């Protein structure tokens, strides 16, 4: 006999062999499935989720955590902003060192491209400002005048008053030869250590090797004018040239010196026409005619030491 409790037919749609978890997802499907299921349930009409549950699901699905910030990103962005501002304003990159000045802004050597003949012409006649600074520095270096300022400061003032660095150095050598209170043989020798220190300095040097080389060649060019007041001037200048050639601080050698000695005062030694239109015999250059050229070259050669 059929039991009454089993007489009623059960609909097939009510039968299910899957475990029922209510609104919760199966533990085998993980949290992602729960989120998706909850989100789907919230979107279906007639869902049994409460308003609080819907807000919780909505905030869970839409609100994402911000991406992690890379260390130094803020510094990079601020640096990029500064570079962008500098570029838009026409300025340079603040992270780079400033470019060195060029042209006239780089220094006071406005006549840096002067030729030897121009240097000689300028050294024969210069203004009182340059002469005063040359006398002041020479007296300080030769210890015949108390130093009121640093030697480098006076040198900088001297070069600022000169049309070029070589002309300023010629003025210093020329006024040094005329300094009283010191034996004539020691006048240029007393300036020599200071000049060598300047061109040997690794930084903050006001004198380059080329400047000293042009100055000494220019000094040779004005020797014919100095011989009358200082007869030993050619030999003293040759001693300084020989010393700096030996130490490797000049850009010329003995051959260039011989040429400069021969050309010194050569234009002044050219003769004009005679009474009958005949050309007079051309005179020897002053240093050769005064027999100073040979001893000068010998002094330079003897100063060069062969290792």
């Amino acid at each position: 006999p059929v039991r009454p409790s089993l007489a009623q037919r059960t609909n097939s749609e009510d039968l299910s062999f899957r475990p029922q978890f209510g609104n919760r997802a199966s533990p085998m499907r993980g949290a992602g499935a729960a989120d998706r299921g909850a989100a789907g349930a919230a979107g279906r009409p007639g869902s049994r989720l409460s308003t609080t549950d819907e807000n919780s699901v909505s905030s869970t699905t839409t609100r994402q955590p911000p991406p992690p910030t890379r260390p130094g990103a803020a510094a990079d962005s601020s640096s990029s902003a500064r570079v962008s501002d500098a570029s838009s304003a026409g300025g340079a990159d603040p992270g780079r060192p400033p470019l060195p000045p060029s042209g006239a802004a780089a220094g006071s050597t406005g006549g840096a491209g002067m030729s030897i003949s121009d240097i000689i012409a300028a050294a024969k006649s210069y203004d009182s400002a340059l002469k005063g600074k040359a006398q002041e520095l020479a007296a300080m270096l030769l210890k015949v005048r108390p130093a009121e300022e640093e030697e480098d400061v006076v040198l900088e003032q001297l070069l600022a008053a000169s049309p070029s660095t070589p002309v300023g150095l010629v003025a210093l050598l020329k006024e040094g030869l005329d300094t009283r209170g010191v034996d004539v043989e020691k006048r240029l020798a007393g300036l020599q250590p200071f000049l060598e220190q300047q061109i040997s300095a690794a930084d903050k040097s006001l004198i380059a090797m080329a400047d000293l080389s042009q100055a000494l060649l220019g000094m040779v060019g004005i020797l014919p004018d100095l011989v009358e007041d200082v007869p030993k001037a050619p030999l003293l200048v040759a001693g300084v040239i020989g010393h700096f050639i030996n130490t490797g601080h000049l850009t010329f050698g003995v051959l260039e010196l011989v040429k400069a000695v021969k050309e010194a005062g050569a234009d002044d030694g050219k003769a004009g026409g005679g009474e009958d239109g005949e050309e007079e015999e051309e005179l020897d250059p002053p240093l050769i005619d005064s027999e100073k050229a040979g001893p000068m070259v010998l002094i330079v050669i003897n100063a060069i030491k062969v290792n």
Side-chain angles (χ1 to χ4, degrees):
V2 179
R3 299 174 61 178
S5 60
L6 298 176
Q8 187 177 357
R9 183 182 298 274
T10 303
N11 294 331
S12 61
E13 60 185 4
D14 294 333
L15 295 176
S16 176
F17 294 97
R18 296 180 180 177
Q20 300 299 317
F21 298 98
N23 291 334
R24 294 180 295 113
S26 171
M28 299 299 293
R29 296 186 180 183
D35 294 340
R36 291 191 299 271
R44 291 195 301 270
S47 172
R48 288 178 296 178
L49 290 176
S50 64
T51 305
T52 304
D53 294 338
E54 291 178 0
N55 294 337
S56 176
V57 170
S58 175
S59 62
T60 302
T61 56
T62 59
R63 186 177 301 172
Q64 298 294 332
T69 304
R70 181 172 56 87
D76 294 343
S77 61
S78 61
S79 176
S80 300
R82 290 195 302 270
V83 173
S84 177
D85 294 341
S87 300
S88 61
D93 187 349
R96 297 180 181 177
L99 294 176
S102 59
S108 60
T109 57
M114 297 178 67
S115 64
I116 298 298
S117 59
D118 293 336
I119 293 172
I120 294 173
K124 287 183 178 181
S125 177
Y126 42 79
D127 57 23
S128 58
L130 177 55
K131 182 175 182 178
K133 285 300 176 182
Q135 290 175 340
E136 179 183 355
L137 183 56
M140 290 172 56
L141 297 176
L142 296 176
K143 310 301 181 183
V144 297
R145 176 177 176 175
E148 299 178 358
E149 293 181 289
E150 295 291 335
E151 296 171 351
D152 291 346
V153 174
V154 180
L155 174 62
E156 187 173 0
Q157 295 172 354
L158 183 152
L159 297 180
S162 174
S164 71
T165 299
V167 174
L169 295 179
V170 174
L172 175 61
L173 295 171
K174 183 179 177 181
E175 300 303 328
L177 272 176
D178 199 34
T179 302
R180 299 294 183 262
V182 183
D183 292 341
V184 65
E185 291 84 0
K186 298 180 181 180
R187 293 175 185 176
L188 291 186
L191 307 179
Q192 190 171 286
F194 176 74
L195 296 175
E196 186 169 358
Q197 178 184 0
Q198 286 293 320
I199 60 178
S200 301
D203 55 351
K204 297 182 179 179
S205 177
L206 299 175
I207 302 174
M209 187 184 301
D211 297 328
L212 182 61
S213 300
Q214 289 183 320
L216 290 175
L217 290 177
M219 192 68 182
V220 173
I222 64 173
L223 280 177
D225 299 331
L226 302 179
V227 171
E228 294 182 3
D229 296 331
V230 186
K232 294 184 178 180
L235 305 182
L236 299 177
V237 172
V240 175
I241 293 175
H243 170 79
F244 283 114
I245 289 179
N246 183 59
T247 57
H249 288 137
L250 296 183
T251 59
F252 65 88
V254 178
L255 293 179
E256 289 80 1
L257 172 64
V258 171
K259 180 180 178 181
V261 169
K262 184 178 180 180
E263 293 177 351
D267 294 338
D268 300 334
K270 291 182 180 180
E275 295 180 356
D276 299 333
E278 297 180 358
E279 293 184 0
E280 295 183 359
E281 183 180 357
E282 185 174 350
L283 302 177
D284 291 331
L287 293 179
I288 296 178
D289 185 63
S290 61
E291 299 181 352
K292 301 292 184 180
M296 287 182 64
V297 176
L298 289 178
I299 290 175
V300 172
I301 293 175
N302 289 333
I304 300 175
K305 299 178 181 179
V306 179
N307 297 328

